[in-house]
Amino acid sequence: MKKQLLAVEGTLTPLSSKSHITYSCLVDEDPASLDMEFRYTPKVMEDPEASRLLIWEAIEKYEAAELVELRKAEWERYMPLQNLLTLSVDDPHGFRGSAHRHPSEQRHMLCEQEASPGFLAGPLPSGIWKITISVHCVVTPECTYQLIVHKGGQSRDLGSVRAAHAYTT
């Protein structure tokens, strides 16, 4: 039987870029699995003029002086600008993996025998688990996210699992 452990929402701005938001949840007994649903929106900046301004700013900041005007002329090749948020998980004993993926809707599972790519399969100990949202980049004026964590799903729910990884501590 699935039980919700955590359900949070938040709103980010470009000032949130290059930061981390960590949530904790208590897993009070060894569950059969943990299921994390994560989504954020928007993924893409739709405003071409705002995109151009950000791209030009980055070019002026990071490009060699002799290439600035050339890169500005071809600014559209860097389109579309995208927000990027990713997840990492720590169990009570340490790091259990991360999912540095671009899709804005993700589902990750952990259980003793299998785990979603990027995460380590193994026992799911009781205690405080931490899920960290890494805010790599927010280019839109606002970006909202939602994170829901459940415990206790059945292995048939592991549709997104592709590889098992050994868990060692």
Side-chain angles (χ1 to χ4, degrees), residues 27-163:
V27 176
D28 55 1
E29 57 189 45
D30 294 351
S33 66
L34 286 179
D35 177 2
M36 296 166 283
E37 298 173 38
F38 179 59
R39 62 186 54 87
Y40 60 94
T41 189
K43 176 63 182 168
V44 175
M45 177 182 263
E46 300 290 344
D47 182 340
E49 181 57 19
S51 295
R52 184 190 63 77
L53 292 173
L54 287 174
I55 292 167
W56 279 25
E57 181 182 312
I59 289 169
E60 290 172 355
K61 186 173 182 179
Y62 297 110
E63 189 58 80
E66 63 273 13
L67 297 174
V68 166
E69 292 309 314
L70 174 66
R71 298 291 184 245
K72 282 183 173 179
E74 55 188 22
W75 69 274
E76 290 176 325
R77 72 184 256 207
Y78 302 105
M79 298 279 285
L81 294 182
Q82 300 180 40
N83 293 326
L84 179 61
L85 282 61
T86 63
L87 290 182
S88 297
V89 176
D90 292 275
D91 71 16
H93 305 295
F95 183 70
R96 286 299 292 264
S98 61
H100 285 196
R101 295 178 179 71
H102 282 273
S104 60
E105 292 193 27
Q106 304 176 19
R107 181 171 173 228
H108 306 289
M109 302 290 288
L110 287 164
C111 70
E112 188 162 348
Q113 294 80 27
E114 299 177 282
S116 296
F119 295 95
L120 300 171
L124 304 177
S126 60
I128 302 296
W129 284 65
K130 294 180 180 177
I131 296 102
T132 299
I133 299 171
S134 294
V135 184
H136 299 274
C137 186
V138 174
V139 293
T140 56
E142 285 191 351
C143 177
T144 59
Y145 65 87
Q146 180 182 46
L147 172 65
I148 300 171
V149 179
H150 291 95
K151 72 172 189 176
Q154 300 296 313
S155 61
R156 67 179 178 273
D157 295 333
L158 297 174
S160 65
V161 174
R162 285 189 270 147

Side-chain angles (χ1 to χ4, degrees), residues 12-23:
L12 305 167
T13 69
L15 293 174
S16 308
S17 297
K18 301 178 184 173
S19 67
H20 303 279
I21 303 164
T22 300
Y23 292 99

